[in-house]
């Protein structure tokens, strides 16, 4: 079946393509001209789809690649192995400034002890709060922070205030499912990962180096 434009000459197609590209360039240029504010931002990656932590850690590599310093706090229970951590922590410390901290509660996964989880989250939060107050830290990742807030391990107002009062040039990335409205309001950029399909549902096991 023929489509409209099928019989156009190559010249016509080229002319239309050029016009479309010029229009697009104009829109992009206008957007760039309007974006005059220079400051760090808050990014929120939420939703049930895969890719939130991967996107956050990918941004850490971007920052480190320009010589900026980054701090990662993972609000997850138990020591969580992940390939990116293995790689990034092996980088020469004199060139790449990275601190990667996790909640130290190997045992609470088994015991489901609320007070122990809360204490572990609070201990990690003290380190994260110090990074959020440090003008030399360019990027702070608060991975799975939504759980720590939704489980009420951390005080929501204190967390929001520390993020709002951070140094102007610092960027913060928050990840985790189920981000509440106040986090969406706090963030400058919000991306919701929406699962269309996940291999796990078809009985395929999570793969090392791919899922973690
Ligand atoms: P990733 O770490 O792969 O970027 P994520 O941070 O978006 O994923 P989490 O909600 O933190 O995902 O889930 C933790 C683990 O579950 C990860 O190993 C992740 O790959 C996997 N996962 C993510 N989304 C799904 C899903 N929709 N179904 C099954 N497993 C998932
Ligand atoms: Mg994650």
């Amino acid at each position: 079946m023929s489509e409209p434009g099928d019989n156009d000459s190559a010249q016509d197609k080229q002319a239309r393509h050029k016009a479309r590209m010029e229009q697009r360039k104009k829109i992009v240029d206008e957007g760039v001209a309007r974006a005059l504010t220079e400051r760090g931002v808050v990014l929120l990656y939420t939703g049930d789809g895969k890719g939130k932590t991967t996107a956050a850690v990918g941004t850490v590599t971007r920052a480190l690649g320009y010589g900026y310093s980054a701090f990662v706090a993972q609000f997850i229970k138990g020591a969580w192995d992940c390939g990116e951590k293995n790689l990034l922590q092996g980088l020469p410390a004199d060139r790449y400034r990275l601190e990667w901290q996790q909640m130290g509660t190997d045992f609470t996964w088994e015991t489901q002890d609320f007070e122990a989880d809360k204490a572990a989250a609070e201990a990690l939060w003290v380190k994260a709060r110090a990074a959020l107050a440090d003008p030399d830290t360019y990027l702070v990742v608060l991975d799975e922070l939504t759980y720590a807030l939704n489980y009420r391990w951390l005080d929501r107002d204190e967390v929001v205030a520390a993020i709002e009062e951070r140094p102007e040039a610092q960027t913060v990335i928050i990840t985790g499912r189920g981000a509440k409205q106040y986090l969406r309001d706090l963030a400058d950029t919000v991306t919701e990962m929406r699962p269309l399909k996940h291999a796990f549902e078809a009985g395929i096991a999570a793969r090392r180096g791919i899922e973690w």
Side-chain angles (χ1 to χ4, degrees), residues 155-167:
D155 181 69
R156 156 186 160 172
D157 293 340
E158 189 190 332
V159 170
V160 169
I163 294 171
E164 280 177 342
E165 288 158 20
R166 74 192 188 283

Side-chain angles (χ1 to χ4, degrees), residues 137-190:
T137 304
Y138 188 77
L139 174 63
V140 174
V141 172
L142 304 170
D143 189 37
E144 321 298 349
L145 179 73
T146 57
Y147 300 100
L149 291 167
N150 294 347
Y151 290 146
R152 311 210 178 230
W153 292 338
L154 302 179
D155 181 69
R156 156 186 160 172
D157 293 340
E158 189 190 332
V159 170
V160 169
I163 294 171
E164 280 177 342
E165 288 158 20
R166 74 192 188 283
E168 202 186 346
Q170 187 183 83
T171 286
V172 177
I173 304 180
I174 299 166
T175 86
R177 300 178 187 207
K180 299 275 193 282
Q181 189 60 46
Y182 68 89
L183 285 182
R184 298 174 189 218
D185 293 342
L186 174 68
D188 299 287
T189 298
V190 181

Side-chain angles (χ1 to χ4, degrees), residues 1-209:
M1 214 171 72
S2 69
E3 298 279 339
D6 274 1
N7 297 326
D8 291 4
S9 71
Q11 242 174 350
D12 289 343
K13 283 182 185 164
Q14 174 57 25
R16 273 205 310 274
H17 178 74
K18 187 164 180 288
R20 268 202 307 271
M21 289 301 118
E22 276 169 2
Q23 180 59 19
R24 188 175 302 171
K25 184 174 175 341
K26 187 166 166 273
I27 292 167
V28 171
D29 287 349
E30 283 167 2
V32 170
R34 270 197 308 273
L36 295 172
T37 308
E38 288 276 358
R39 67 166 172 86
V41 291
V42 178
L43 300 107
L44 172 63
Y45 298 142
T46 190
D48 295 333
K50 175 175 165 58
K52 300 176 288 294
T53 298
T54 315
V57 178
T59 311
V60 168
T61 67
R62 286 191 172 165
L64 293 179
Y66 285 108
Y68 297 120
S69 90
F71 175 92
V72 178
Q74 290 192 294
F75 290 89
I76 35 150
K77 295 206 285 182
W80 185 259
D81 206 17
C82 66
E84 308 97 298
K85 179 164 152 268
N86 297 343
L87 173 78
L88 296 176
Q89 287 199 319
L91 293 173
D94 55 336
R95 280 190 62 197
Y96 300 100
R97 294 172 298 149
L98 170 68
E99 191 178 336
W100 190 304
Q101 298 281 351
Q102 295 179 325
M103 265 169 67
T105 58
D106 294 308
F107 56 93
T108 61
W109 185 256
E110 309 296 334
T111 61
Q112 301 298 330
D113 179 340
F114 175 83
E115 287 305 326
D117 290 343
K118 186 169 188 294
E122 280 171 345
L124 180 56
W125 168 246
V126 168
K127 294 175 191 168
R129 199 178 50 198
L132 288 166
D134 173 20
D136 196 38
T137 304
Y138 188 77
L139 174 63
V140 174
V141 172
L142 304 170
D143 189 37
E144 321 298 349
L145 179 73
T146 57
Y147 300 100
L149 291 167
N150 294 347
Y151 290 146
R152 311 210 178 230
W153 292 338
L154 302 179
D155 181 69
R156 156 186 160 172
D157 293 340
E158 189 190 332
V159 170
V160 169
I163 294 171
E164 280 177 342
E165 288 158 20
R166 74 192 188 283
E168 202 186 346
Q170 187 183 83
T171 286
V172 177
I173 304 180
I174 299 166
T175 86
R177 300 178 187 207
K180 299 275 193 282
Q181 189 60 46
Y182 68 89
L183 285 182
R184 298 174 189 218
D185 293 342
L186 174 68
D188 299 287
T189 298
V190 181
T191 300
E192 180 160 36
M193 271 61 170
R194 187 161 64 93
L196 297 182
K197 201 174 178 182
H198 196 289
F200 189 66
E201 290 152 22
I204 301 167
R207 286 186 81 70
R208 188 161 74 139

